[in-house]
Amino acid sequence: MGKAINKVILGETTLMDISEDTVSEDNLLEGATAHAADGTQITGKVVVAEIVDNLEDQSPDKALSANQGKVLKDYIYKHPYVSYDNKNPTEYDDQVLITKEQPLQNLLSYLTTAVKNIRYLFKMIGSTDISAIGDGTLTGGLSTLNSNLSSVSSDLDNVENICYNLKISSVGHDTTEYIIDHIEYNKTQNLLYVFFKNGQWLWIEITGKSF
């Protein structure tokens, strides 16, 4: 093979000059031949994928036509998903079980239902800080409150065992100081009996609500 020539000059006339050409194997169609800027003959490497104009072809090396892109766009706009989201929900909606091979618009609708339910749960939980109750979680806080309520109920059932370091400065017109020794609760009569350290006592009727 002879030396590659990229420029031919006869006298002052340039008969051929391809020295500034930009063609190469990487931008020339596969199978086509040409000459590079240095004059060497080259064969193209660029493979142009076949274009298909349908949505059924599963060939991995073919390009989808612009027409089918328009078909997909029109389908999406003509078949919008239904949104179930609500900025201020008042109830919880049952969440549909998400299964395989669901249409896209169905999945988006299911997602908006989930977001709406999350909004409702946050609304029901509220924004009060409960970090100081239990371990700071909702379940931990409820467990602690339930335990405290049980303790209070137990104390009320056994109120006769509760001693108070309290002082009543006067009873009626008596100016004597009365130190409370203990209190007893009669559940049957719904009465509180207050016993003082000096032996005196009095009872208080609980009206409206019993312990």
Side-chain angles (χ1 to χ4, degrees):
M1 184 175 179
K3 181 180 179 182
I5 299 174
N6 63 353
K7 182 183 293 188
V8 177
I9 300 175
L10 180 60
E12 296 182 355
T13 303
T14 300
L15 301 179
M16 181 190 73
D17 185 0
I18 60 173
S19 60
E20 302 298 326
D21 287 4
T22 58
V23 66
S24 68
E25 295 96 331
D26 295 328
N27 59 24
L28 184 64
L29 290 178
E30 184 180 33
T33 59
H35 290 81
D38 62 359
T40 58
Q41 189 178 51
I42 57 175
T43 301
K45 298 180 179 179
V46 177
V47 177
V48 177
E50 181 183 346
I51 297 176
V52 295
D53 191 35
N54 65 77
L55 297 175
E56 304 298 329
D57 196 318
Q58 297 182 353
S59 302
D61 56 350
K62 296 180 181 179
L64 190 65
S65 68
N67 177 60
Q68 291 303 316
K70 179 68 164 53
V71 170
L72 289 173
K73 177 182 177 183
D74 290 344
Y75 179 83
I76 293 173
Y77 278 91
K78 291 179 181 178
H79 298 80
Y81 70 92
V82 179
S83 176
Y84 298 101
D85 197 7
N86 188 321
K87 190 173 182 180
N88 186 30
T90 57
E91 61 182 357
Y92 181 91
D93 287 343
D94 287 337
Q95 182 69 54
V96 176
L97 181 64
I98 300 176
T99 58
K100 295 188 298 183
E101 300 180 356
Q102 288 285 340
L104 178 60
Q105 62 264 37
N106 286 5
L107 292 175
L108 293 174
S109 297
Y110 299 159
L111 177 61
T112 62
T113 300
V115 172
K116 179 257 184 184
N117 286 338
I118 291 174
R119 293 184 194 276
Y120 177 72
L121 291 175
F122 271 107
K123 177 182 177 181
M124 293 297 98
I125 292 173
S127 58
T128 302
D129 182 9
I130 61 170
S131 59
I133 303 176
D135 59 1
T137 65
L138 182 59
T139 53
L142 289 174
S143 177
T144 299
L145 291 175
N146 184 60
S147 176
N148 291 343
L149 287 174
S150 297
S151 176
V152 170
S153 176
S154 176
D155 288 342
L156 288 174
D157 288 338
N158 300 282
V159 70
E160 66 274 7
N161 296 323
I162 302 175
C163 294
Y164 294 84
N165 187 23
L166 301 176
K167 178 174 66 176
I168 297 179
S169 60
S170 65
V171 177
H173 298 289
D174 191 346
T175 59
T176 305
E177 289 188 344
Y178 291 84
I179 306 299
I180 295 177
D181 182 67
H182 68 281
I183 297 175
E184 294 180 7
Y185 172 56
N186 187 313
K187 183 177 291 187
T188 303
Q189 297 177 321
N190 205 24
L191 297 175
L192 279 179
Y193 290 92
V194 182
F195 294 89
F196 302 97
K197 292 186 181 295
N198 63 2
Q200 302 277 347
W201 62 276
L202 61 83
W203 58 266
I204 302 172
E205 182 179 4
I206 306 300
T207 60
K209 183 177 181 181
S210 61
F211 289 100

